[in-house]
Amino acid sequence: MSDLSVLTLARNRTAHLLNLLEGLRRSDRLPRELVVVDMNDSALALPPAPFPVSVARLPDRTLPLAAARNRAARLATGGRLLFLDADCIPSAGLIDAIETALDEADALICPEALYLGPDDARGPWTEDALRAAGRPHPVRPFPAEGLRPEPNPGLFWSLAFGVRRATFEALGGFDETFVGYGGEDTDFGLTAQATGTPLLFLGGAPAFHQHHPVSDPPIEHLADIVRNAELFHAKWRRWPMEGWLAAFEAMGLVARQGDRIVARPSAG
């Protein structure tokens, strides 16, 4: 039996989540369980699976992502954790590859995410088709196979990562002072680096990131990003989310003044 629990958060991504569940069903090695923290307004109803599935309700429009991930980890029973965003489809070899990597290294293990187009995985899909359609991230290079140390903790991303449960707990989980969108990922990556926990990139066993509409920069999350960026700066004396903050400044929405970010008059 696998010792790996898969953890995910669900909000307005039910069709994507069902594909994640189908990917787990097709895994070469089934997970110990799937733990879902349900942040939808109405409770999720998921089909049966060949492994235990538990759903914990946390309806909250503030999107407490850090707190929700920590809750999922507390509910998990496995000694190894694989966090997957609800829009990720695991490849058949992902669970086995993460477990093997965590046997070898006490680290944060990020598998490659391959990005799908709008029409990919909308209907019946095969892994071969997803691999053919998936595109790599432009600034996160992964090895073709196996593990590669990544020295930049700013490239850690909670979209998909594995970690030993004891290590996650020793790191204190995600900092729950970060509420809403942005910042908590980079904070967790820097915390890991500060405690000597390496970041490793894993190739050959990807997660497939399903398409959904996005805005760049994410103006709808402006207030969250500003608040979390100020918290991050106070903690680490550097700014996170530099690209988004620079875009907001170029749009005349905000200005950085020392360790503060203030709204410009044009932002209302």
Side-chain angles (χ1 to χ4, degrees):
M1 180 181 180
S2 171
D3 188 39
L4 183 142
S5 299
V6 176
L7 317 178
T8 194
L9 314 182
R11 182 171 175 81
N12 300 330
R13 293 276 188 272
T14 302
H16 296 78
L17 177 61
L18 292 175
N19 274 335
L20 182 154
L21 190 60
E22 179 61 25
L24 292 177
R25 285 195 193 95
R26 301 186 194 183
S27 290
D28 295 336
R29 187 175 190 182
L30 294 178
R32 179 185 184 93
E33 63 189 341
L34 171 64
V35 178
V36 182
V37 175
D38 177 12
M39 296 190 288
N40 290 289
D41 295 334
S42 300
L44 277 171
L46 296 176
F51 44 81
V53 178
S54 59
V55 179
R57 291 279 290 147
L58 186 64
D60 192 324
R61 291 193 171 274
T62 65
L63 281 180
L65 301 177
R69 292 193 189 102
N70 290 346
R71 184 173 181 185
R74 288 193 299 270
L75 293 171
T77 63
R80 295 167 178 80
L81 309 176
L82 173 59
F83 289 81
L84 281 179
D85 275 9
D87 50 19
C88 288
I89 302 174
S91 59
L94 179 59
I95 290 174
D96 189 58
I98 290 288
E99 282 209 277
T100 300
L102 290 174
D103 285 342
E104 297 173 359
D106 185 6
L108 304 183
I109 312 288
C110 287
E112 183 168 20
L114 297 177
Y115 288 78
L116 302 175
D119 297 323
D120 301 322
R122 279 201 163 189
W125 52 267
T126 66
E127 182 166 319
D128 285 346
L130 298 187
R131 284 181 179 269
R135 296 292 178 264
H137 193 282
V139 298
R140 285 180 169 86
F142 283 77
E145 299 284 341
L147 295 167
R148 174 181 71 77
E150 173 49 59
N152 180 3
L155 293 184
F156 168 76
W157 205 6
S158 63
L159 179 85
F161 79 99
V163 63
R164 295 177 185 176
R165 180 192 189 95
T167 301
F168 184 81
E169 292 173 350
L171 292 172
F174 287 87
D175 185 343
E176 295 186 17
T177 59
F178 293 90
V179 177
Y181 195 82
E184 84 285 350
D185 279 25
T186 310
D187 173 78
F188 188 76
L190 287 177
T191 299
Q193 183 189 57
T195 59
T197 302
L199 172 62
L200 304 179
F201 279 7
L202 171 67
F208 302 100
H209 184 275
Q210 299 170 78
H211 180 83
H212 55 80
V214 296
S215 53
D216 189 16
I219 296 175
E220 67 274 22
H221 297 294
L222 175 63
D224 287 350
I225 290 170
V226 166
R227 176 184 180 276
N228 288 342
E230 289 183 340
L231 287 170
F232 187 99
H233 190 274
K235 187 173 181 178
W236 298 104
R237 309 313 303 172
R238 54 177 275 194
W239 292 110
M241 303 176 281
E242 280 280 6
W244 289 346
L245 293 178
F248 292 147
E249 288 178 308
M251 296 167 70
L253 299 175
V254 299
R256 277 178 274 190
Q257 297 180 359
D259 59 358
R260 298 281 298 168
I261 302 173
V262 299
R264 287 179 170 170
S266 59

